[in-house]
Amino acid sequence: MKKLLSIASVLGLSLSAAVAAAAPASAATDRSGAERLNIPNSSACRAGRTVLEGMVAGPGGQLYIIFSKGSAGEPVLSRWLRDGSTWDGSSWVCSGAPVSMPELGHGNDLAYNPNYLGGGPALIATQGSQTAFPDDDVTIVHLGSDGSIGSTQVVDLPTGNISGLCYSATAAGGAGKYAARRLGSLWTHPGSGALTSGWTLVESSLTSHDNRSDQGIDCSENYIWNTKSINDSSADTGWNWIYQYNWSGGDVESDIGVPGNDLTDEIEDITHVGSEFFVGINRNGGLADSVKVLTE
């Protein structure tokens, strides 16, 4: 893999420089760390939904997670609050009943903007995924000052179908910036202004990895992280991947591996809270979904 630029030097984050030779998928390094949240299918915050979809950290480190019934849809948006100061498996507790939101569509990814169009905090959810649920709409979910879930509106993007979206308030010298990804293309958008215009295609051939499916993305002041799910060729190649880019779409580090555990664990999204990155894992076969630390 390519050299990982020191994120700590620019973000104060815990991921540091790493250099390693390119390796086949079967020899990938496990980069998933301690579990921060365990979400069994019986959790009331899933409302009977079996698939963990988009995830993002919001105000005060709150987590927002979309659950759905897979191809049947019927998504709900759940909100998780920090419980105590220890970063452990019970760091968050579900805050009230999840909110049914058909307008989230497939709900493949979530972004968080602390002051959307000057109107306060909001989540922005992509409605589609890479191939099975293509959609160029996003859903704006307005939040209360305490992070509570409020009203919604749907916005049509001129970029065409996307499956990943993120926002960084610290990018572009603090002016804020969006990134959106569809297959091998990366678009960016200034932090101010309506999402219906102003997008720039900055890269049309992002680093990829065979036939894996694009999932959620995350971004910060200098970097963008793209998650790629397991493929179905064999358990030996059934790894999830994360690719780190700069804002021009240039490759910073590729082939960050998160194991698929015999094709059971499917990465869905990535987000960060302060100095720690987390990955959302949808687990097949009725096993509890998980939010885990991404390690160096």
Side-chain angles (χ1 to χ4, degrees), residues 46-269:
R46 304 181 70 113
R49 276 62 173 178
T50 58
V51 180
L52 182 152
E53 302 278 9
M55 177 185 75
V56 73
Q62 300 178 52
L63 281 181
Y64 296 85
I65 303 175
I66 297 171
F67 295 100
S68 79
K69 295 182 178 179
S71 59
E74 299 185 38
V76 295
L77 178 61
S78 62
R79 175 183 174 218
W80 303 77
L81 304 181
R82 280 292 307 279
D83 180 23
S85 59
T86 303
W87 285 114
D88 57 20
S90 59
S91 290
W92 289 278
V93 292
C94 182
S95 176
V99 179
S100 174
M101 286 193 172
E103 59 271 38
L104 292 180
H106 184 68
N108 193 67
D109 198 3
L110 275 172
Y112 169 66
N113 188 324
N115 192 23
Y116 176 72
L117 295 181
L123 306 178
I124 307 173
T126 62
Q127 291 194 13
S129 66
Q130 174 176 302
T131 53
F133 307 95
D135 204 314
D136 57 2
D137 288 336
V138 295
T139 301
I140 313 299
V141 182
H142 297 279
L143 302 177
S145 58
D146 61 350
S148 56
I149 298 169
S151 62
T152 65
Q153 65 185 104
V154 175
V155 174
D156 183 73
L157 302 186
T159 57
N161 303 327
I162 67 168
S163 56
L165 179 74
C166 62
Y167 174 80
S168 171
T170 57
K177 200 170 185 178
Y178 293 94
R181 192 224 51 249
R182 162 69 178 173
L183 295 175
S185 298
L186 176 69
W187 289 269
T188 61
H189 185 284
S192 60
L195 296 176
T196 51
S197 63
W199 289 91
T200 300
L201 177 62
V202 297
E203 178 58 62
S204 57
S205 58
L206 293 170
T207 298
S208 188
H209 200 295
D210 58 58
N211 66 341
R212 287 163 173 79
S213 175
D214 286 316
Q215 301 284 23
I217 67 176
D218 187 34
C219 50
S220 61
E221 180 178 357
N222 294 292
Y223 303 114
I224 298 166
W225 287 266
N226 174 30
T227 60
K228 306 275 282 189
S229 72
I230 54 175
N231 67 4
D232 58 3
S233 57
S234 73
D236 187 48
T237 58
W239 283 80
N240 300 283
W241 299 100
I242 301 169
Y243 292 84
Q244 183 188 13
Y245 310 112
N246 58 34
W247 277 91
S248 297
D251 195 24
V252 177
E253 185 181 11
S254 60
D255 295 355
I256 300 170
V258 176
N261 293 327
D262 295 328
L263 307 181
T264 297
D265 295 359
E266 180 183 0
I267 195 169
E268 294 286 344
D269 212 344

